[in-house]
Amino acid sequence: MAQRVAVLETIFHACTSAKPCWLTEWAFNNRDQSCPIHDDLRLQLVQAERTTLKHFIEQGRLAASLYYSWDGDFPGQKENMGAIFRCGALTDAGKLALSPL
């Protein structure tokens, strides 16, 4: 987590409690094409990212974060790699990513 905080410190260097930033796009892909989806790794990544973002929220430097995934299929792809609604349902990673911090 410390390394990720350091990376985001660089990105959010100008963000202050007087003028907080918004992170408008963050996401993790899952290349697994099976149904039901095997999404354990992405769930762990979302948990770690939320923990990191909470650091900046608590400082008042981050006002919002939006989990985002481009939509668009590649030839032969059954499910979009970035989609959090897969196999007919919202994934566990998706539920966590969309829940309030």
Side-chain angles (χ1 to χ4, degrees):
M1 182 176 120
Q3 183 178 5
R4 184 67 178 148
V5 169
V7 168
L8 290 178
E9 282 288 353
T10 302
I11 294 169
F12 297 146
H13 72 277
C15 306
T16 66
S17 58
K19 190 172 182 178
C21 293
W22 283 43
L23 178 59
T24 58
E25 293 181 23
W26 69 276
F28 297 102
N29 287 336
N30 181 342
R31 288 176 165 58
D32 187 290
Q33 294 290 294
S34 65
C35 283
I37 187 172
H38 303 287
D39 211 26
D40 294 341
L41 177 58
R42 184 163 59 168
L43 179 60
Q44 291 173 17
L45 292 169
V46 168
Q47 288 171 330
E49 189 72 356
R50 286 170 51 90
T51 298
T52 304
L53 294 177
K54 191 169 183 175
H55 169 82
F56 296 96
I57 291 168
E58 289 171 348
Q59 292 178 346
R61 296 169 58 194
L62 181 62
S65 73
L66 304 173
Y67 190 93
Y68 187 84
S69 178
W70 288 101
D71 189 18
D73 295 324
F74 297 104
Q77 186 178 9
K78 293 189 296 186
E79 296 277 357
N80 181 304
M81 293 184 298
I84 54 177
F85 188 88
R86 303 237 329 239
C87 304
L90 189 59
T91 66
D92 288 340
K95 291 173 189 172
L96 181 61
L98 299 177
S99 66
L101 276 168

Coordinates of all heavy atoms in Angstrom, one line a residue:
M1 N 0.8 -1.2 0.0 CA 0.0 0.0 0.0 C 0.9 1.3 0.0 O 0.5 2.2 -0.7 CB -0.9 0.0 1.2 CG -1.8 1.2 1.2 SD -3.0 1.2 2.5 CE -2.6 2.7 3.3
A2 N 2.0 1.2 0.7 CA 2.8 2.4 0.8 C 3.3 2.9 -0.6 O 3.4 4.1 -0.9 CB 4.0 2.2 1.7
Q3 N 3.6 1.9 -1.4 CA 4.1 2.2 -2.8 C 3.0 2.9 -3.6 O 3.2 3.9 -4.3 CB 4.6 1.0 -3.5 CG 5.2 1.3 -4.9 CD 5.7 0.1 -5.5 OE1 5.6 -1.0 -5.0 NE2 6.4 0.2 -6.7
R4 N 1.8 2.4 -3.5 CA 0.6 2.9 -4.2 C 0.3 4.3 -3.7 O 0.0 5.2 -4.4 CB -0.6 2.0 -4.1 CG -1.8 2.5 -4.9 CD -1.5 2.4 -6.3 NE -2.7 2.8 -7.1 CZ -2.7 3.4 -8.2 NH1 -1.6 3.6 -8.8 NH2 -3.9 3.7 -8.8
V5 N 0.4 4.5 -2.4 CA 0.1 5.9 -1.8 C 1.2 6.8 -2.3 O 0.8 8.0 -2.7 CB 0.2 5.8 -0.2 CG1 0.2 7.2 0.3 CG2 -1.0 5.1 0.3
A6 N 2.4 6.4 -2.5 CA 3.5 7.3 -3.0 C 3.2 7.7 -4.5 O 3.4 8.8 -4.8 CB 4.8 6.6 -2.9
V7 N 2.7 6.7 -5.2 CA 2.3 7.0 -6.6 C 1.2 8.0 -6.7 O 1.2 9.0 -7.4 CB 1.9 5.7 -7.4 CG1 1.3 6.0 -8.7 CG2 3.1 4.8 -7.6
L8 N 0.2 7.8 -5.8 CA -1.0 8.7 -5.8 C -0.6 10.1 -5.2 O -1.2 11.1 -5.6 CB -2.2 8.1 -5.2 CG -2.8 6.9 -5.9 CD1 -4.0 6.3 -5.1 CD2 -3.3 7.3 -7.3
E9 N 0.3 10.1 -4.3 CA 0.8 11.4 -3.8 C 1.3 12.3 -5.0 O 1.0 13.5 -5.0 CB 1.9 11.2 -2.8 CG 1.5 10.8 -1.4 CD 0.8 11.9 -0.6 OE1 0.8 13.0 -1.0 OE2 0.3 11.5 0.5
T10 N 2.0 11.7 -5.9 CA 2.5 12.4 -7.1 C 1.3 12.9 -7.9 O 1.2 14.1 -8.4 CB 3.4 11.5 -7.9 OG1 4.5 11.1 -7.1 CG2 3.9 12.3 -9.1
I11 N 0.3 12.0 -8.1 CA -0.8 12.4 -8.9 C -1.7 13.4 -8.3 O -2.2 14.4 -8.9 CB -1.7 11.1 -9.2 CG1 -0.9 10.2 -10.1 CG2 -3.0 11.5 -9.9 CD1 -1.5 8.8 -10.3
F12 N -1.9 13.3 -6.9 CA -2.8 14.2 -6.2 C -2.0 15.4 -5.5 O -2.5 16.0 -4.6 CB -3.5 13.5 -5.1 CG -4.5 12.4 -5.6 CD1 -4.7 11.3 -4.9 CD2 -5.2 12.6 -6.8 CE1 -5.6 10.3 -5.4 CE2 -6.0 11.6 -7.3 CZ -6.3 10.5 -6.6
H13 N -0.8 15.7 -6.0 CA 0.1 16.7 -5.4 C -0.6 18.0 -5.2 O -0.3 18.7 -4.2 CB 1.4 16.8 -6.1 CG 1.3 17.5 -7.4 ND1 0.9 16.9 -8.5 CD2 1.5 18.8 -7.7 CE1 0.9 17.8 -9.5 NE2 1.3 19.0 -9.0
A14 N -1.5 18.4 -6.1 CA -2.1 19.7 -6.0 C -3.5 19.7 -5.3 O -4.1 20.7 -5.2 CB -2.3 20.3 -7.4
C15 N -3.9 18.5 -4.9 CA -5.2 18.4 -4.2 C -5.1 18.8 -2.8 O -4.2 18.3 -2.1 CB -5.7 16.9 -4.4 SG -5.7 16.3 -6.0
T16 N -6.0 19.6 -2.3 CA -6.0 20.0 -1.0 C -7.4 19.9 -0.4 O -8.4 19.7 -1.2 CB -5.6 21.5 -0.8 OG1 -6.6 22.3 -1.5 CG2 -4.2 21.8 -1.5
S17 N -7.6 20.1 0.9 CA -8.9 20.0 1.5 C -9.7 21.3 1.0 O -11.0 21.2 0.9 CB -8.9 20.0 3.0 OG -8.2 21.1 3.5
A18 N -9.1 22.3 0.6 CA -9.8 23.5 0.1 C -10.2 23.3 -1.3 O -11.2 23.9 -1.8 CB -8.9 24.7 0.2
K19 N -9.4 22.5 -2.1 CA -9.7 22.2 -3.5 C -9.4 20.7 -3.8 O -8.4 20.4 -4.4 CB -8.9 23.1 -4.4 CG -9.4 23.1 -5.8 CD -8.7 24.1 -6.7 CE -9.2 24.0 -8.1 NZ -8.7 25.0 -8.9
P20 N -10.3 19.8 -3.3 CA -10.1 18.4 -3.5 C -10.2 18.0 -4.9 O -10.9 18.6 -5.7 CB -11.1 17.8 -2.6 CG -12.2 18.7 -2.5 CD -11.6 20.1 -2.6
C21 N -9.6 16.9 -5.3 CA -9.7 16.3 -6.6 C -10.7 15.2 -6.7 O -11.2 14.7 -5.7 CB -8.3 15.7 -7.0 SG -7.0 16.9 -7.1
W22 N -11.1 14.9 -7.9 CA -11.9 13.7 -8.2 C -11.1 12.8 -9.1 O -10.4 13.2 -10.0 CB -13.1 14.2 -9.1 CG -14.2 14.8 -8.3 CD1 -14.1 15.8 -7.4 CD2 -15.6 14.6 -8.5 NE1 -15.3 16.2 -6.9 CE2 -16.3 15.5 -7.6 CE3 -16.3 13.8 -9.3 CZ2 -17.7 15.5 -7.5 CZ3 -17.7 13.8 -9.2 CH2 -18.4 14.7 -8.4
L23 N -11.1 11.5 -8.8 CA -10.5 10.5 -9.6 C -11.6 10.0 -10.5 O -12.5 9.3 -10.0 CB -9.9 9.4 -8.7 CG -9.3 8.2 -9.5 CD1 -8.1 8.7 -10.4 CD2 -8.8 7.2 -8.5
T24 N -11.6 10.3 -11.7 CA -12.8 10.0 -12.6 C -12.7 8.7 -13.3 O -13.7 8.3 -13.9 CB -12.9 11.1 -13.6 OG1 -11.7 11.2 -14.4 CG2 -13.2 12.5 -13.0
E25 N -11.6 8.0 -13.3 CA -11.5 6.7 -14.0 C -10.5 5.8 -13.3 O -9.3 6.1 -13.3 CB -11.2 6.8 -15.5 CG -12.2 7.5 -16.3 CD -11.9 7.6 -17.8 OE1 -11.0 6.8 -18.2 OE2 -12.4 8.5 -18.4
W26 N -11.0 4.8 -12.7 CA -10.1 3.7 -12.2 C -10.8 2.4 -12.4 O -12.0 2.3 -12.3 CB -9.6 3.9 -10.8 CG -10.6 3.8 -9.7 CD1 -11.5 4.8 -9.3 CD2 -10.8 2.7 -8.9 NE1 -12.2 4.3 -8.2 CE2 -11.9 3.0 -8.0 CE3 -10.3 1.4 -8.8 CZ2 -12.4 2.1 -7.1 CZ3 -10.8 0.5 -7.9 CH2 -11.8 0.8 -7.0
A27 N -10.1 1.4 -12.7 CA -10.7 0.0 -12.9 C -9.6 -1.0 -13.0 O -8.4 -0.7 -13.2 CB -11.5 0.1 -14.2
F28 N -10.0 -2.3 -13.0 CA -9.2 -3.4 -13.2 C -9.9 -4.4 -14.1 O -11.0 -4.7 -13.9 CB -8.9 -4.1 -11.8 CG -8.1 -3.2 -10.9 CD1 -8.8 -2.6 -9.8 CD2 -6.8 -3.0 -11.0 CE1 -8.1 -1.8 -8.9 CE2 -6.1 -2.2 -10.1 CZ -6.8 -1.6 -9.1
N29 N -9.1 -4.9 -15.0 CA -9.7 -5.9 -16.0 C -9.6 -7.3 -15.4 O -8.8 -7.6 -14.5 CB -9.0 -5.8 -17.3 CG -9.3 -4.6 -18.1 OD1 -10.4 -4.0 -18.0 ND2 -8.4 -4.3 -19.0
N30 N -10.4 -8.2 -15.9 CA -10.4 -9.6 -15.6 C -10.6 -10.3 -16.9 O -11.6 -10.2 -17.5 CB -11.5 -10.0 -14.6 CG -11.4 -11.4 -14.3 OD1 -10.8 -12.2 -15.0 ND2 -12.1 -11.8 -13.2
R31 N -9.5 -11.0 -17.4 CA -9.5 -11.6 -18.7 C -10.3 -13.0 -18.6 O -10.5 -13.6 -19.7 CB -8.1 -11.9 -19.2 CG -7.4 -10.6 -19.6 CD -6.0 -10.9 -20.0 NE -5.3 -9.8 -20.8 CZ -5.2 -8.6 -20.5 NH1 -5.7 -8.1 -19.3 NH2 -4.5 -7.7 -21.2
D32 N -10.7 -13.4 -17.5 CA -11.4 -14.7 -17.4 C -12.7 -14.6 -18.1 O -13.5 -13.7 -17.9 CB -11.6 -15.0 -15.9 CG -12.2 -16.4 -15.7 OD1 -13.4 -16.6 -16.1 OD2 -11.5 -17.3 -15.2
Q33 N -12.9 -15.6 -19.0 CA -14.2 -15.6 -19.8 C -15.2 -16.6 -19.3 O -16.2 -16.8 -20.0 CB -13.8 -15.9 -21.3 CG -12.9 -14.8 -21.9 CD -13.7 -13.5 -22.1 OE1 -14.7 -13.5 -22.9 NE2 -13.4 -12.5 -21.5
S34 N -14.9 -17.2 -18.2 CA -15.9 -18.3 -17.7 C -17.1 -17.7 -17.0 O -17.0 -16.5 -16.5 CB -15.1 -19.2 -16.8 OG -14.7 -18.5 -15.6
C35 N -18.1 -18.4 -17.0 CA -19.3 -18.1 -16.2 C -19.6 -19.3 -15.4 O -19.7 -20.4 -15.9 CB -20.5 -17.8 -17.1 SG -20.4 -16.1 -17.8
P36 N -19.6 -19.3 -14.0 CA -19.5 -18.0 -13.3 C -18.0 -17.5 -13.3 O -17.1 -18.3 -13.5 CB -19.9 -18.4 -11.8 CG -19.6 -19.9 -11.8 CD -19.8 -20.4 -13.2
I37 N -17.9 -16.2 -13.2 CA -16.6 -15.6 -13.3 C -15.7 -15.9 -12.1 O -16.2 -16.0 -10.9 CB -16.8 -14.1 -13.4 CG1 -15.4 -13.4 -13.7 CG2 -17.5 -13.5 -12.3 CD1 -15.6 -11.9 -14.1
H38 N -14.4 -16.0 -12.3 CA -13.5 -16.2 -11.2 C -12.9 -14.8 -11.0 O -12.0 -14.4 -11.8 CB -12.4 -17.2 -11.6 CG -13.0 -18.5 -11.9 ND1 -13.5 -19.4 -10.9 CD2 -13.1 -19.2 -13.1 CE1 -13.9 -20.5 -11.5 NE2 -13.7 -20.4 -12.8
D39 N -13.3 -14.1 -10.0 CA -13.0 -12.7 -9.8 C -12.2 -12.4 -8.5 O -12.2 -11.2 -8.1 CB -14.3 -11.9 -9.9 CG -14.1 -10.5 -10.5 OD1 -13.2 -10.3 -11.3 OD2 -15.0 -9.6 -10.1
D40 N -11.7 -13.4 -7.9 CA -11.0 -13.2 -6.6 C -9.9 -12.2 -6.7 O -9.7 -11.3 -5.8 CB -10.5 -14.5 -6.1 CG -11.6 -15.5 -5.7 OD1 -12.8 -15.0 -5.5 OD2 -11.3 -16.7 -5.6
L41 N -9.0 -12.3 -7.7 CA -7.9 -11.3 -7.8 C -8.4 -9.9 -8.0 O -7.9 -9.0 -7.3 CB -6.9 -11.7 -9.0 CG -5.8 -10.8 -9.2 CD1 -4.9 -10.7 -7.9 CD2 -4.9 -11.3 -10.4
R42 N -9.3 -9.7 -8.8 CA -9.8 -8.3 -9.0 C -10.5 -7.8 -7.8 O -10.4 -6.6 -7.4 CB -10.8 -8.3 -10.2 CG -11.3 -6.9 -10.5 CD -11.9 -6.7 -11.8 NE -13.1 -7.5 -12.0 CZ -13.9 -7.3 -13.0 NH1 -13.7 -6.4 -13.9 NH2 -14.9 -8.1 -13.2
L43 N -11.2 -8.7 -7.0 CA -11.7 -8.3 -5.7 C -10.7 -7.8 -4.8 O -10.8 -6.7 -4.1 CB -12.5 -9.4 -5.1 CG -13.2 -9.1 -3.8 CD1 -14.2 -8.0 -3.9 CD2 -13.9 -10.4 -3.3
Q44 N -9.5 -8.5 -4.7 CA -8.4 -8.1 -3.9 C -7.8 -6.7 -4.4 O -7.5 -5.9 -3.5 CB -7.3 -9.1 -3.9 CG -7.7 -10.4 -3.2 CD -6.7 -11.5 -3.4 OE1 -5.5 -11.3 -3.8 NE2 -7.1 -12.7 -3.1
L45 N -7.7 -6.6 -5.7 CA -7.2 -5.3 -6.2 C -8.1 -4.1 -5.9 O -7.7 -3.0 -5.5 CB -7.0 -5.4 -7.7 CG -5.9 -6.3 -8.2 CD1 -6.0 -6.5 -9.7 CD2 -4.5 -5.8 -7.8
V46 N -9.4 -4.3 -6.0 CA -10.4 -3.3 -5.7 C -10.3 -3.0 -4.2 O -10.3 -1.8 -3.8 CB -11.8 -3.7 -6.1 CG1 -12.9 -2.8 -5.5 CG2 -11.9 -3.7 -7.6
Q47 N -10.2 -4.0 -3.3 CA -10.1 -3.7 -1.9 C -8.8 -2.9 -1.6 O -8.9 -1.9 -0.8 CB -10.0 -5.1 -1.1 CG -11.3 -5.8 -1.1 CD -11.2 -7.2 -0.5 OE1 -10.2 -7.9 -0.6 NE2 -12.3 -7.6 0.2
A48 N -7.7 -3.3 -2.2 CA -6.4 -2.5 -2.0 C -6.5 -1.1 -2.5 O -6.1 -0.2 -1.8 CB -5.3 -3.3 -2.6
E49 N -7.1 -0.9 -3.6 CA -7.3 0.5 -4.2 C -8.2 1.3 -3.3 O -7.9 2.5 -3.0 CB -7.8 0.4 -5.6 CG -7.7 1.8 -6.3 CD -6.3 2.2 -6.7 OE1 -5.3 1.6 -6.3 OE2 -6.2 3.3 -7.3
R50 N -9.2 0.8 -2.8 CA -10.1 1.5 -1.9 C -9.5 1.9 -0.6 O -9.6 3.0 -0.1 CB -11.4 0.7 -1.6 CG -12.4 0.6 -2.8 CD -13.5 -0.4 -2.6 NE -14.1 -0.2 -1.3 CZ -15.2 0.5 -1.1 NH1 -15.7 1.2 -2.1 NH2 -15.8 0.6 0.1
T51 N -8.6 1.0 -0.1 CA -7.9 1.3 1.1 C -6.9 2.5 0.8 O -6.8 3.4 1.7 CB -7.1 0.1 1.6 OG1 -8.0 -0.9 1.9 CG2 -6.2 0.4 2.8
T52 N -6.3 2.5 -0.3 CA -5.4 3.6 -0.7 C -6.1 4.9 -0.9 O -5.7 5.9 -0.4 CB -4.6 3.2 -2.0 OG1 -3.9 2.0 -1.7 CG2 -3.6 4.3 -2.3
L53 N -7.2 4.8 -1.6 CA -8.0 6.0 -1.8 C -8.6 6.6 -0.5 O -8.7 7.8 -0.4 CB -9.2 5.7 -2.8 CG -8.7 5.4 -4.2 CD1 -10.0 5.0 -5.1 CD2 -7.9 6.4 -4.9
K54 N -8.9 5.8 0.4 CA -9.4 6.2 1.7 C -8.4 7.1 2.4 O -8.8 8.1 3.1 CB -9.8 5.0 2.6 CG -10.6 5.4 3.8 CD -11.2 4.2 4.5 CE -12.1 4.7 5.6 NZ -12.8 3.6 6.3
H55 N -7.2 6.9 2.2 CA -6.1 7.7 2.8 C -6.3 9.2 2.4 O -6.2 10.1 3.2 CB -4.7 7.2 2.4 CG -3.6 8.1 2.6 ND1 -3.0 8.1 3.9 CD2 -2.9 8.9 1.8 CE1 -2.0 9.0 3.8 NE2 -1.9 9.5 2.6
F56 N -6.6 9.4 1.1 CA -6.7 10.7 0.5 C -8.1 11.3 0.9 O -8.2 12.5 1.1 CB -6.5 10.7 -1.0 CG -5.1 10.3 -1.3 CD1 -4.7 9.0 -1.6 CD2 -4.0 11.3 -1.3 CE1 -3.4 8.6 -1.9 CE2 -2.7 10.9 -1.5 CZ -2.4 9.6 -1.9
I57 N -9.1 10.5 1.0 CA -10.4 10.9 1.4 C -10.4 11.5 2.8 O -10.9 12.6 3.1 CB -11.4 9.8 1.2 CG1 -11.7 9.5 -0.3 CG2 -12.8 10.2 1.9 CD1 -12.5 8.2 -0.5
E58 N -9.7 10.7 3.7 CA -9.6 11.2 5.1 C -8.9 12.5 5.2 O -9.1 13.2 6.2 CB -9.0 10.0 5.9 CG -9.9 8.8 6.1 CD -9.2 7.6 6.7 OE1 -8.0 7.6 6.8 OE2 -10.0 6.7 7.1
Q59 N -7.9 12.7 4.3 CA -7.2 14.0 4.4 C -8.0 15.1 3.7 O -7.6 16.3 3.8 CB -5.9 13.9 3.6 CG -4.9 13.0 4.3 CD -3.6 12.8 3.4 OE1 -3.5 13.2 2.2 NE2 -2.6 12.3 4.0
G60 N -9.1 14.8 3.1 CA -9.9 15.8 2.4 C -9.4 16.2 1.1 O -9.9 17.1 0.4
R61 N -8.4 15.4 0.6 CA -7.8 15.7 -0.7 C -8.5 15.1 -1.9 O -8.3 15.4 -3.1 CB -6.3 15.3 -0.7 CG -5.5 16.1 0.3 CD -4.2 15.6 0.6 NE -3.4 15.5 -0.7 CZ -2.3 14.8 -0.8 NH1 -1.8 14.2 0.3 NH2 -1.6 14.8 -1.9
L62 N -9.3 14.1 -1.6 CA -10.1 13.4 -2.7 C -11.5 13.4 -2.4 O -12.0 12.9 -1.3 CB -9.6 11.9 -2.8 CG -10.3 11.0 -3.8 CD1 -10.0 11.6 -5.2 CD2 -9.8 9.6 -3.7
A63 N -12.3 14.1 -3.2 CA -13.7 14.3 -3.0 C -14.6 13.1 -3.6 O -15.6 12.8 -3.1 CB -14.2 15.6 -3.6
A64 N -14.1 12.5 -4.6 CA -14.9 11.4 -5.3 C -14.0 10.5 -6.1 O -12.9 11.0 -6.6 CB -15.9 12.0 -6.2
S65 N -14.4 9.3 -6.3 CA -13.7 8.4 -7.2 C -14.8 7.6 -7.9 O -15.8 7.2 -7.3 CB -12.7 7.5 -6.5 OG -13.4 6.5 -5.7
L66 N -14.6 7.4 -9.2 CA -15.5 6.8 -10.0 C -14.9 5.5 -10.7 O -13.9 5.7 -11.4 CB -16.0 7.7 -11.2 CG -16.6 9.0 -10.7 CD1 -16.9 9.9 -11.9 CD2 -17.9 8.8 -9.9
Y67 N -15.4 4.4 -10.4 CA -14.9 3.1 -11.0 C -15.5 3.2 -12.4 O -16.7 3.4 -12.6 CB -15.4 1.9 -10.3 CG -14.8 0.6 -10.7 CD1 -13.6 0.2 -10.1 CD2 -15.3 -0.1 -11.8 CE1 -13.0 -1.0 -10.5 CE2 -14.7 -1.2 -12.2 CZ -13.5 -1.7 -11.6 OH -12.9 -2.8 -12.0
Y68 N -14.6 3.0 -13.4 CA -15.0 3.1 -14.8 C -14.4 2.0 -15.6 O -13.3 1.6 -15.4 CB -14.5 4.5 -15.3 CG -15.0 4.8 -16.7 CD1 -16.3 5.3 -16.9 CD2 -14.3 4.5 -17.8 CE1 -16.8 5.6 -18.1 CE2 -14.8 4.7 -19.1 CZ -16.0 5.3 -19.2 OH -16.5 5.5 -20.5
S69 N -15.2 1.6 -16.5 CA -14.7 0.5 -17.5 C -15.2 0.9 -18.9 O -16.4 1.0 -19.0 CB -15.2 -0.8 -17.0 OG -14.8 -1.8 -17.9
W70 N -14.3 0.9 -19.8 CA -14.7 1.1 -21.2 C -15.5 -0.1 -21.6 O -15.3 -1.2 -21.3 CB -13.5 1.3 -22.1 CG -12.8 2.5 -21.9 CD1 -11.6 2.7 -21.2 CD2 -13.1 3.8 -22.4 NE1 -11.2 4.1 -21.3 CE2 -12.2 4.7 -22.0 CE3 -14.2 4.3 -23.2 CZ2 -12.2 6.1 -22.3 CZ3 -14.3 5.6 -23.5 CH2 -13.3 6.5 -23.1
D71 N -16.5 0.2 -22.4 CA -17.3 -0.9 -23.0 C -17.0 -1.1 -24.4 O -16.8 -0.1 -25.2 CB -18.8 -0.5 -22.9 CG -19.7 -1.7 -23.2 OD1 -19.2 -2.8 -23.2 OD2 -20.9 -1.5 -23.5
G72 N -16.8 -2.3 -24.8 CA -16.4 -2.6 -26.2 C -15.8 -4.0 -26.2 O -15.0 -4.3 -25.5
D73 N -16.4 -4.8 -27.1 CA -15.9 -6.1 -27.2 C -14.8 -6.3 -28.3 O -14.9 -5.6 -29.3 CB -17.1 -7.1 -27.5 CG -18.1 -7.1 -26.3 OD1 -17.7 -7.0 -25.2 OD2 -19.3 -7.2 -26.6
F74 N -14.0 -7.3 -28.0 CA -13.0 -7.7 -29.0 C -13.5 -8.9 -29.7 O -14.3 -9.6 -29.2 CB -11.6 -8.0 -28.4 CG -11.0 -6.8 -27.7 CD1 -11.1 -6.7 -26.3 CD2 -10.4 -5.8 -28.4 CE1 -10.5 -5.6 -25.7 CE2 -9.8 -4.7 -27.8 CZ -9.9 -4.6 -26.4
P75 N -13.1 -9.1 -31.0 CA -13.6 -10.3 -31.7 C -13.4 -11.6 -30.9 O -12.3 -11.8 -30.4 CB -12.8 -10.3 -33.0 CG -12.4 -8.9 -33.2 CD -12.2 -8.3 -31.8
G76 N -14.4 -12.4 -30.8 CA -14.4 -13.7 -30.1 C -14.5 -13.6 -28.6 O -14.4 -14.6 -27.9
Q77 N -14.6 -12.4 -28.0 CA -14.7 -12.2 -26.6 C -16.1 -12.4 -26.1 O -17.0 -11.7 -26.6 CB -14.2 -10.8 -26.2 CG -14.0 -10.5 -24.8 CD -13.5 -9.1 -24.5 OE1 -13.4 -8.3 -25.4 NE2 -13.2 -8.8 -23.3
K78 N -16.3 -13.3 -25.2 CA -17.6 -13.5 -24.6 C -18.1 -12.4 -23.7 O -19.2 -12.0 -23.7 CB -17.7 -14.9 -23.9 CG -17.5 -16.1 -24.8 CD -17.8 -17.4 -24.1 CE -16.8 -17.6 -23.0 NZ -16.9 -18.9 -22.3
E79 N -17.2 -12.0 -22.8 CA -17.5 -10.9 -21.8 C -16.4 -9.8 -21.9 O -15.3 -10.1 -22.2 CB -17.4 -11.5 -20.4 CG -18.5 -12.6 -20.2 CD -19.9 -12.0 -19.8 OE1 -20.0 -10.8 -19.7 OE2 -20.8 -12.8 -19.6
N80 N -16.8 -8.6 -21.7 CA -15.9 -7.5 -21.7 C -15.0 -7.7 -20.5 O -15.4 -7.8 -19.3 CB -16.7 -6.2 -21.6 CG -15.8 -5.0 -21.6 OD1 -14.9 -4.8 -20.7 ND2 -16.0 -4.1 -22.5
M81 N -13.6 -7.6 -20.7 CA -12.7 -7.8 -19.6 C -12.8 -6.8 -18.4 O -12.5 -7.2 -17.3 CB -11.2 -7.6 -20.1 CG -10.8 -8.7 -21.1 SD -9.1 -8.5 -21.6 CE -9.1 -6.9 -22.4
G82 N -13.3 -5.6 -18.7 CA -13.4 -4.6 -17.6 C -14.7 -4.6 -17.0 O -14.9 -3.9 -15.9
A83 N -15.7 -5.2 -17.6 CA -17.1 -5.1 -17.1 C -17.2 -5.7 -15.6 O -16.6 -6.7 -15.3 CB -18.0 -5.8 -18.0
I84 N -18.0 -5.0 -14.8 CA -18.2 -5.5 -13.5 C -19.6 -6.2 -13.4 O -20.0 -6.7 -12.4 CB -18.1 -4.4 -12.4 CG1 -18.9 -3.2 -12.7 CG2 -16.6 -4.1 -12.2 CD1 -18.8 -2.1 -11.6
F85 N -20.4 -6.0 -14.5 CA -21.6 -6.8 -14.6 C -21.3 -7.9 -15.6 O -21.2 -7.6 -16.8 CB -22.8 -5.9 -15.1 CG -24.1 -6.6 -15.1 CD1 -24.9 -6.6 -13.9 CD2 -24.6 -7.3 -16.2 CE1 -26.1 -7.2 -13.9 CE2 -25.8 -7.9 -16.2 CZ -26.6 -7.9 -15.0
R86 N -21.1 -9.1 -15.1 CA -20.7 -10.2 -16.0 C -21.6 -11.4 -15.7 O -22.0 -11.6 -14.5 CB -19.3 -10.5 -15.8 CG -18.4 -9.3 -16.1 CD -17.3 -9.4 -17.1 NE -16.7 -10.7 -17.4 CZ -15.4 -10.9 -17.3 NH1 -14.6 -9.9 -16.8 NH2 -14.9 -12.0 -17.6
C87 N -21.8 -12.3 -16.7 CA -22.5 -13.5 -16.5 C -23.9 -13.3 -15.9 O -24.4 -14.0 -15.1 CB -21.7 -14.5 -15.6 SG -20.0 -14.8 -16.2
G88 N -24.5 -12.1 -16.3 CA -25.8 -11.8 -15.8 C -26.0 -11.2 -14.5 O -27.1 -11.1 -13.9
A89 N -24.9 -10.8 -13.8 CA -25.0 -10.3 -12.5 C -23.8 -9.3 -12.2 O -22.8 -9.4 -12.8 CB -25.0 -11.4 -11.4
L90 N -24.0 -8.5 -11.2 CA -22.9 -7.6 -10.7 C -21.9 -8.5 -9.9 O -22.3 -9.3 -9.1 CB -23.4 -6.5 -9.8 CG -22.5 -5.4 -9.4 CD1 -22.0 -4.7 -10.6 CD2 -23.2 -4.5 -8.5
T91 N -20.6 -8.4 -10.3 CA -19.6 -9.2 -9.6 C -19.3 -8.7 -8.2 O -19.7 -7.6 -7.9 CB -18.3 -9.2 -10.4 OG1 -17.7 -7.9 -10.3 CG2 -18.4 -9.6 -11.9
D92 N -18.7 -9.6 -7.4 CA -18.3 -9.1 -6.0 C -17.4 -7.9 -6.1 O -17.5 -7.0 -5.3 CB -17.7 -10.3 -5.2 CG -18.7 -11.4 -4.9 OD1 -19.9 -11.1 -4.9 OD2 -18.3 -12.5 -4.6
A93 N -16.5 -8.0 -7.0 CA -15.5 -6.8 -7.2 C -16.3 -5.6 -7.6 O -16.1 -4.5 -7.1 CB -14.5 -7.1 -8.2
G94 N -17.3 -5.7 -8.4 CA -18.2 -4.6 -8.8 C -19.0 -4.1 -7.6 O -19.1 -2.8 -7.5
K95 N -19.6 -5.0 -6.8 CA -20.3 -4.5 -5.7 C -19.5 -3.7 -4.7 O -19.9 -2.6 -4.2 CB -20.9 -5.7 -4.9 CG -22.0 -6.4 -5.7 CD -22.4 -7.7 -5.0 CE -23.3 -8.6 -5.8 NZ -23.6 -9.9 -5.2
L96 N -18.2 -4.2 -4.5 CA -17.3 -3.4 -3.6 C -16.9 -2.1 -4.3 O -16.9 -1.1 -3.6 CB -16.1 -4.3 -3.3 CG -15.1 -3.7 -2.4 CD1 -15.7 -3.3 -1.0 CD2 -13.9 -4.6 -2.2
A97 N -16.6 -2.1 -5.5 CA -16.1 -0.9 -6.2 C -17.2 0.2 -6.2 O -16.8 1.4 -6.1 CB -15.7 -1.2 -7.7
L98 N -18.4 -0.2 -6.2 CA -19.5 0.8 -6.3 C -20.0 1.2 -4.9 O -20.9 2.1 -4.8 CB -20.6 0.2 -7.1 CG -20.3 0.0 -8.6 CD1 -21.5 -0.6 -9.3 CD2 -19.8 1.2 -9.3
S99 N -19.6 0.5 -3.9 CA -20.1 0.8 -2.5 C -19.4 2.1 -2.0 O -18.2 2.3 -2.3 CB -19.9 -0.4 -1.6 OG -18.5 -0.6 -1.4
P100 N -20.1 2.8 -1.2 CA -19.5 4.1 -0.6 C -18.3 3.8 0.3 O -18.2 2.7 0.9 CB -20.6 4.7 0.2 CG -21.8 4.0 -0.2 CD -21.4 2.6 -0.7
L101 N -17.3 4.7 0.3 CA -16.2 4.6 1.2 C -16.5 5.2 2.5 O -17.1 6.1 2.6 CB -14.9 5.2 0.6 CG -14.2 4.4 -0.4 CD1 -13.2 5.2 -1.2 CD2 -13.5 3.3 0.3

